[in-house]
Amino acid sequence: MVILLETQVDIGDVFEEFLKNFQDIPGNFKYMNQINEIIAYRKKSIIVDFNDLFSFNEKIANEIILNPLQSLTLLEDRMIKIIEELDNSYPLEVEKVHVRIINLPRVIELRKIRSSDVNKIISVEGILTKQTPVKERAYRVTFKHVHPDCNQEFIWPEEGEMNDIITTPSVCPRCGKIGQFEIVPEKTKLIDWQKVILQERPEEVPPGQLPRQIEAILEDDLVDSARPGDRVKLTGILMIKQDSIVKRGSRTVFDVYMKVISIEVSEKVLDEVEITDEDKKKIQELAKDPWIKERIMSSIAPSIYDHWEIKEAIGLALFGGVQRTMQDGTRIRGDIHVLIIGDPGTAKSQLLQFAARVAPRSVYTTGKGATAAGLTAAVVREKNTGDYYLEAGALVLADGGIAVIDEIDKMKDEDRVAIHEAMEQQTVSIAKAGIVAKLNARATIIAAGNPKFGRYIQERGIAENIDLPPTILSRFDLIFILVDKPGSEDQLLANHILDMHGGKSVKNSIDVDLLKKYIAFSRKYVNPQLSDEAKKLLADFYVEMRKKSSDTPDSPILITPRQLEALIRLTEAYARMGLREVATRDDAERAINIMRIFLEKVGLDVESGSIDIDTIMLGKPKSAREKMVKILEIIDTLAQNEECAKIKEISKEAEREGIEKQSTEKIVSDMKKSGLIYEVKTECFKKV
Ligand code: ADP
Ligand code: ZN
Ligand code: MG
């Protein structure tokens, strides 16, 4: 008599049945198709959707969650068996094959990983910040026993056993004696290996806290499948670091890492912001408002009084223009870079923080950078392990979004060199310590900087006022200056600040959450084209400005093709604010207008009365610059004969050079303020 107590089901059999029989649509054998591709194209892995496993058989799905190591090995064994059945010449000895599981039911936040997750299969999302070069890991070594009585070779670890770290055997498995073991390199099996660091996405890090990170190991076909700066979902098994057990001896505190089973790289830009159908309705409703542009501007940092053109510039940067790829493959950025230079305490940092808060995807940093990678990227060496890593900096991490950089004038020398490429080509190239890479940095820059001399000196060009080279300055689409001058506005500003502290809000403003969704929606779905009228207006403006420069002999170039590209982007951004696919004449007019404000505020050559883009980028207007140099020379000469140069004598000498007295006095007083000269005694100066 036979009594059946319980049906014993072999999990391996169920896995095999799953691979062979699962059909996503009737007649389509999803996994057999993939296995056939392995054979046909020497692919290295199949991708198994966890949901498929679950719908096929709940028990095996659970088994994967509870015992991932054993069950995955089992699943792979069955796949190998199927491959052998289909093609007995398939070189499984050489080609390792893998099962890559995706779509686990639960994604764990990096900061919520706990001890109970060790040895479990988990999914985490984040941004890849670092990666090592590809190395080779020996997963099966052939040793030779160096002993006169033995000299035999053996494979280690023995078949069936798999360890990430191979330790030399203590006794020879062939003869049982101890002794020396030599590796036979040509008989050692290697697999591509790479270590990466996954970090929380910048927008997920609670304010004021450091982002959490985890080390992850990629092997074989996963190697190099994502780059620093990529937003990814990693599925893998959380393991305890073997070497940390050895190194720390009896202390039982371990580091964990993830042995990665699958990587999903997020292609979709801006999918972090969830937009519901209800949101969509609200967004479309808002877009109908004829005053939508004004409403957007008044919703940007409403607690900050005035500074309208800066808020407008930030608004434009948040929406951005459309990236275009030309027929010859060159790419023209759609990102609008904005720079604010200003006196201390003029709310620059506040404006930037708001921009970072409302941007759907953003990285907030300072010029110095939060990490060794700074603003662009770096090759860093880790102290404990000696490993070299390629580490992504802020602009790479902000790929597809907005990089908000405060105190940009303090940026590191390496970044000063690399940022040019990042701002225009929107890539970061690095070649150092054997690492050669090109990372994407398609990010908008909204930056602020402090004046070089503490306060902004209006009589000087921007280039002289900020510690940034003209080549970087000229890559900004809009630059604004905030000067703190006491006066009539003080009462209004005080009232505004007091009102805001009292809990008042600005009329008609859109709340931050909705505005964020509105921006995300627009950036994702709205790609405006310029109408013919808009094109004509921009072209006319450009031609006229260029003509002005050629009309006046010796005049510096007024405006360059860079500004024309900027105008196109600005026009598109205005259209995006209204969710319009066509940028109208009105959009172009507004773009010209804000460009004019920027040029006039920062570039107007006060003495010649013309707008001079060279002034902005290269510094002092020709005329005034020459005067200053001359006067400095005069002071220097005069002070050589006497202790210092008296203002009267400076003026007299200067007049001989054609500089009027008033001009001289002003220039001397400016040079004194900016520390180029100092007053030795009353009205008597010397060069520093
Ligand atoms: P900065 O970065 O330019 O040195 P902050 O952003 O740190 O200046 O601003 C200093 C303080 O002054 C902040 O608390 C800010 O809110 C306040 N403040 C300065 N200008 C304004 C303004 N126009 N409206 C409201 N608050 C202002
Ligand atoms: Zn031996
Ligand atoms: Mg500041």
Side-chain angles (χ1 to χ4, degrees):
M1 200 176 80
V2 180
I3 304 167
L4 287 174
L5 282 175
E6 203 182 340
T7 353
Q8 285 283 322
V9 188
D10 183 343
I11 293 168
D13 289 346
V14 187
F15 279 145
E16 193 176 329
E17 205 185 310
F18 167 75
L19 291 173
K20 281 183 170 164
N21 295 327
F22 183 84
Q23 302 164 44
D24 48 351
I25 22 180
N28 186 47
F29 293 86
K30 187 172 174 183
Y31 296 109
M32 285 311 284
N33 290 347
Q34 290 193 46
I35 291 176
N36 279 313
E37 280 183 7
I38 288 197
I39 296 171
Y41 308 115
R42 291 285 185 268
K43 276 197 168 178
K44 303 209 123 203
S45 46
I46 64 168
I47 293 165
V48 172
D49 190 326
F50 186 85
N51 295 325
D52 293 347
L53 271 169
F54 195 80
S55 70
F56 188 81
N57 183 325
E58 253 177 67
K59 280 216 182 90
I60 55 166
N62 275 332
E63 198 55 32
I64 299 256
I65 298 284
L66 294 175
N67 297 307
L69 277 172
Q70 294 93 317
S71 48
L72 277 173
T73 316
L74 212 54
L75 192 50
E76 273 178 18
D77 286 348
R78 292 303 172 127
M79 176 169 75
I80 290 167
K81 182 172 165 238
I82 297 172
I83 292 174
E84 279 169 338
E85 282 169 13
L86 289 170
D87 174 8
N88 59 16
S89 67
Y90 190 86
L92 282 161
E93 270 300 296
V94 201
E95 310 270 357
K96 279 183 77 98
V97 288
H98 316 271
V99 174
R100 310 226 169 272
I101 307 252
I102 60 165
N103 278 335
L104 285 193
R106 199 162 67 100
V107 179
I108 301 183
E109 280 173 50
L110 265 178
R111 57 180 63 231
K112 300 233 168 98
I113 291 179
R114 294 290 176 266
S115 59
S116 53
D117 298 314
V118 171
N119 290 325
K120 295 276 162 23
I121 185 167
I122 59 169
S123 284
V124 286
E125 287 175 336
I127 186 162
L128 274 197
T129 55
K130 294 193 204 176
Q131 87 185 163
T132 62
V134 179
K135 298 179 186 179
E136 301 302 319
R137 178 173 78 82
Y139 66 96
R140 197 141 277 151
V141 180
T142 298
F143 278 112
K144 186 178 172 184
H145 186 198
V146 193
H147 193 285
D149 300 341
C150 178
N151 270 331
Q152 292 184 79
E153 288 179 1
F154 59 93
I155 293 170
W156 190 258
E158 283 162 326
E159 220 49 64
E161 233 181 282
M162 279 298 241
N163 261 327
D164 282 353
I165 297 201
I166 296 175
T167 41
T168 330
S170 43
V171 292
C172 173
R174 288 286 150 89
C175 66
K177 287 188 190 132
I178 53 165
Q180 264 196 321
F181 302 97
E182 232 172 43
I183 293 176
V184 188
E186 64 277 14
K187 287 186 187 164
T188 287
K189 288 191 192 149
L190 302 169
I191 191 164
D192 289 345
W193 180 100
Q194 182 173 48
K195 191 150 71 175
V196 298
I197 303 286
L198 184 78
Q199 192 174 82
E200 284 176 306
R201 287 187 292 237
E203 56 272 13
E204 274 170 3
V205 183
Q209 295 203 31
L210 285 174
R212 297 277 172 86
Q213 53 183 42
I214 188 171
E215 214 175 272
I217 302 294
L218 308 180
E219 288 194 339
D220 217 4
D221 54 339
L222 291 183
V223 155
D224 271 346
S225 61
R227 285 183 296 175
D230 283 348
R231 285 155 185 254
V232 297
K233 180 154 122 191
L234 298 184
T235 297
I237 299 172
L238 199 66
M239 314 263 265
I240 284 175
K241 265 198 208 170
Q242 298 276 350
D243 51 349
S244 66
I245 302 177
V246 181
K247 270 188 206 149
R248 292 182 189 173
S250 58
R251 265 183 62 197
T252 38
V253 179
F254 308 121
D255 296 325
V256 292
Y257 71 96
M258 179 188 259
K259 194 172 157 65
V260 179
I261 290 165
S262 74
I263 300 184
E264 292 161 81
V265 180
S266 137
E267 298 287 345
K268 286 166 280 163
V269 165
L270 298 174
D271 52 1
E272 278 79 15
V273 182
E274 203 195 327
I275 299 170
T276 62
D277 285 344
E278 200 185 318
D279 295 331
K280 227 176 260 176
K281 262 193 219 126
K282 278 192 208 158
I283 289 168
Q284 265 138 4
E285 199 53 44
L286 264 181
K288 286 193 200 128
D289 188 336
W291 295 101
I292 181 64
K293 292 177 204 165
E294 285 69 22
R295 284 190 69 182
I296 290 169
M297 305 316 170
S298 62
S299 311
I300 291 174
S303 69
I304 302 301
Y305 172 77
D306 197 21
H307 301 337
W308 288 109
E309 67 276 345
I310 292 171
K311 292 183 183 180
E312 186 144 357
I314 289 176
L316 288 162
L318 289 169
F319 281 85
V322 182
Q323 181 188 303
R324 310 247 179 238
T325 311
M326 303 289 115
Q327 298 231 303
D328 64 355
T330 43
R331 211 170 59 185
I332 295 185
R333 70 172 149 103
D335 293 284
I336 295 170
H337 300 318
V338 173
L339 173 66
I340 311 165
I341 306 170
D343 290 344
T346 46
K348 296 184 300 296
S349 299
Q350 292 278 354
L351 285 160
L352 289 196
Q353 270 163 21
F354 186 90
R357 203 140 48 89
V358 76
R361 177 189 277 192
S362 70
V363 172
Y364 186 96
T365 184
T366 64
K368 281 193 206 107
T371 63
L375 299 181
T376 54
V379 171
V380 290
R381 188 170 186 181
E382 210 175 54
K383 269 195 218 113
N384 324 354
T385 55
D387 286 334
Y388 282 104
Y389 278 100
L390 168 61
E391 182 171 354
L395 290 176
V396 176
L397 297 181
D399 185 37
I402 316 253
V404 180
I405 310 169
D406 204 355
E407 315 208 334
I408 191 171
D409 48 309
K410 310 256 171 15
M411 80 172 124
K412 288 186 286 203
D413 291 344
E414 298 86 355
D415 284 335
R416 270 172 205 268
V417 179
I419 202 169
H420 296 97
E421 180 196 348
M423 288 182 81
E424 213 62 73
Q425 280 73 48
Q426 306 210 285
T427 50
V428 169
S429 306
I430 198 155
K432 223 188 237 170
I435 295 178
V436 179
K438 194 176 210 176
L439 305 173
N440 282 327
R442 295 157 300 189
T444 301
I445 298 180
I446 301 180
N450 294 303
K452 191 151 77 180
F453 309 108
R455 291 203 163 256
Y456 198 89
I457 300 166
Q458 297 242 300
E459 289 70 23
R460 297 185 170 195
I462 293 196
E464 280 181 86
N465 265 298
I466 186 160
D467 196 9
L468 286 177
T471 46
I472 294 179
L473 287 177
S474 66
R475 283 170 167 78
F476 283 98
D477 296 273
L478 295 172
I479 303 177
F480 286 104
I481 292 159
L482 276 178
V483 184
D484 180 20
K485 39 176 189 284
S488 57
E489 296 268 290
D490 287 350
Q491 187 61 49
L492 294 169
L493 182 132
N495 291 348
H496 184 91
I497 293 182
L498 289 166
D499 280 352
M500 288 294 152
H501 279 239
K504 260 203 192 171
S505 64
V506 168
K507 245 199 336 214
N508 261 335
S509 67
I510 308 162
D511 81 35
V512 179
D513 273 347
L514 184 58
L515 185 57
K516 187 185 235 174
K517 288 175 180 171
Y518 191 95
I519 294 168
F521 183 89
S522 180
R523 284 175 74 107
K524 193 165 172 182
Y525 298 112
V526 185
N527 294 305
Q529 297 278 348
L530 267 60
S531 72
D532 289 343
E533 278 178 309
K535 277 186 199 159
K536 185 168 180 324
L537 202 66
L538 296 187
D540 287 352
F541 175 75
Y542 178 71
V543 171
E544 191 196 330
M545 299 294 278
R546 294 281 286 192
K547 198 157 146 278
K548 265 194 196 156
S549 60
S550 59
D551 279 355
T552 7
D554 290 341
S555 108
I557 291 176
L558 294 177
I559 197 163
T560 70
R562 267 221 175 97
Q563 276 73 45
L564 181 59
E565 281 178 13
L567 282 168
I568 296 171
R569 286 191 277 273
L570 294 169
T571 307
E572 290 165 347
Y574 279 117
R576 270 188 165 172
M577 286 185 184
L579 305 186
R580 281 177 285 107
E581 286 293 342
V582 175
T584 61
R585 187 190 155 86
D586 179 55
D587 296 326
E589 233 160 51
R590 293 191 71 147
I592 289 174
N593 190 44
I594 192 148
M595 173 71 74
R596 234 191 247 276
I597 297 178
F598 147 49
L599 292 174
E600 281 172 9
K601 281 220 165 159
V602 304
L604 190 74
D605 183 329
V606 190
E607 309 214 359
S608 73
S610 69
I611 297 173
D612 167 10
I613 192 80
D614 278 356
T615 304
I616 304 166
M617 306 313 172
L618 306 177
K620 195 105 178 128
K622 239 183 178 178
S623 47
R625 163 187 274 273
E626 280 163 5
K627 284 179 192 169
M628 199 181 78
V629 173
K630 196 87 240 161
I631 291 175
L632 209 55
E633 251 171 46
I634 295 171
I635 294 176
D636 210 22
T637 323
L638 289 173
Q640 264 165 19
N641 306 333
E642 282 171 69
E643 181 191 0
C644 51
K646 293 201 188 73
I647 186 77
K648 267 190 195 150
E649 299 197 14
I650 302 172
S651 289
K652 214 161 74 190
E653 288 295 318
E655 242 178 306
R656 240 179 251 168
E657 301 280 346
I659 307 169
E660 346 64 280
K661 200 173 154 213
Q662 270 183 341
S663 226
T664 306
E665 278 168 2
K666 185 160 186 333
I667 291 169
V668 168
S669 127
D670 280 350
M671 290 197 297
K672 188 185 121 192
K673 267 190 231 148
S674 60
L676 281 170
I677 55 174
Y678 67 99
E679 200 165 6
V680 181
K681 54 190 191 203
T682 322
E683 302 215 307
C684 196
F685 303 91
K686 201 173 170 183
K687 216 169 118 180
V688 175

